[in-house]
Amino acid sequence: MAKLSTEELLDVFSEMTLLELSSFVKAFEDKFEVTAAAPVAVAQQGGAAPAEAAEEQDEFDVILEGAGDKKIQVIKVVREIVSGLGLKEAKDLVEGAPKPILEKVAKDAAEAAKAKLEEAGAKVSVK
């Protein structure tokens, strides 16, 4: 197999859907017995520092907790919110709840997505 440069790999990854990329990461973790999770640094800070960090948060994740009774409507909304997602990928994402729908988005985009999903009958959280 020909070796791919970093740039070529990034091009391949940029063309993948979120579900395809997620499957790749899981397979990579299994094959090489590693985890892609970021290490968590534990530091003791004063009581005011966590409050400051919460105020400065400008990126949010929209997590689908469950589809509720109207799964088809939720799948349609998920396809609307997540660009480039096919019907099968959206269905798998909804059935695999709890799953992140959007990651590192602005607060207004996260709230708008949450409102659309809840209107369709889904249970959603924003973190």
Side-chain angles (χ1 to χ4, degrees):
M1 182 173 147
K3 290 188 178 185
L4 298 175
S5 70
T6 302
E7 192 63 37
E8 291 169 324
L9 284 172
L10 289 174
D11 289 341
V12 170
F13 292 142
S14 68
E15 294 175 9
M16 297 173 98
T17 65
L18 283 174
L19 291 176
E20 290 170 335
L21 194 53
S22 176
S23 296
F24 169 77
V25 170
K26 176 142 180 50
F28 186 90
E29 289 174 336
D30 291 344
K31 176 154 179 100
F32 296 105
E33 297 177 2
V34 296
T35 181
V40 179
V42 179
Q44 291 192 2
Q45 299 177 344
E52 290 174 12
E55 291 174 356
E56 294 175 12
Q57 182 177 358
D58 60 350
E59 293 181 337
F60 297 86
D61 296 340
V62 179
I63 313 292
L64 176 67
E65 301 294 338
D69 296 334
K70 301 176 183 178
K71 185 165 67 171
I72 293 173
Q73 284 82 354
V74 173
I75 292 170
K76 288 179 182 179
V77 172
V78 167
R79 287 190 68 203
E80 178 184 328
I81 293 172
V82 182
S83 62
L85 205 59
L87 182 60
K88 183 182 180 335
E89 291 90 0
K91 180 179 180 265
D92 292 344
L93 195 127
V94 169
E95 290 177 346
K99 293 273 185 172
I101 301 294
L102 296 173
E103 296 177 323
K104 300 186 188 295
V105 296
K107 185 174 183 172
D108 56 341
E111 292 299 327
K114 180 181 178 186
K116 283 184 179 181
L117 287 163
E118 286 178 341
E119 186 177 315
K123 295 177 185 169
V124 183
S125 64
V126 176
K127 297 182 180 179

